[in-house]
Amino acid sequence: MTSAREPDDRGLDRTLRSFDRRISRLEDTQVTGRELNDAFDRVYEEIDELKVEMNQRFDAQDTKIDNLGTELNGKLDLILRRLTGMGQNNE
């Protein structure tokens, strides 16, 4: 496997940095408690949406990996049968 980062990783990094900046600004501003709560609620909602999106991506990756593993196992079985002579008509 390569260690190159996926393009989606850069987008995730940008999103997380954006959350960090927004939270820092909220902590530094002088707003009413209600405004602060509303702003934090919006940030938390966006974080929850991001969690759902990331879980969907990981689930899709897990499915791809499982399918690849199954395919590789099938190919390895075929190669081993041929190497041991079990792949001939005498099975």
Side-chain angles (χ1 to χ4, degrees):
M1 296 187 127
T2 63
S3 63
R5 293 173 52 122
E6 300 270 332
D8 290 340
D9 289 345
R10 282 183 247 133
L12 176 61
D13 288 343
R14 260 192 307 273
T15 302
L16 293 175
R17 282 193 306 272
S18 172
F19 283 140
D20 185 52
R21 284 191 302 271
R22 287 171 61 189
I23 289 170
S24 293
R25 280 194 306 263
L26 286 171
E27 291 172 341
D28 294 339
T29 59
Q30 294 182 349
V31 295
T32 66
R34 181 163 184 85
E35 290 172 323
L36 188 61
N37 282 337
D38 290 344
F40 270 107
D41 286 343
R42 284 193 301 275
V43 169
Y44 289 132
E45 286 171 7
E46 290 179 39
I47 290 171
D48 288 342
E49 290 171 4
L50 183 62
K51 283 181 188 176
V52 169
E53 180 183 335
M54 295 312 301
N55 284 334
Q56 289 171 344
R57 286 185 191 176
F58 288 132
D59 289 344
Q61 283 299 107
D62 287 345
T63 301
K64 287 179 186 177
I65 291 170
D66 290 343
N67 291 343
L68 180 61
T70 301
E71 184 179 328
L72 287 175
N73 283 337
K75 288 181 179 183
L76 286 173
D77 286 343
L78 178 67
I79 291 168
L80 288 173
R81 277 190 256 134
R82 290 189 186 225
L83 286 174
T84 59
M86 299 293 289
Q88 305 300 325
N89 290 334
N90 60 0
E91 290 185 294

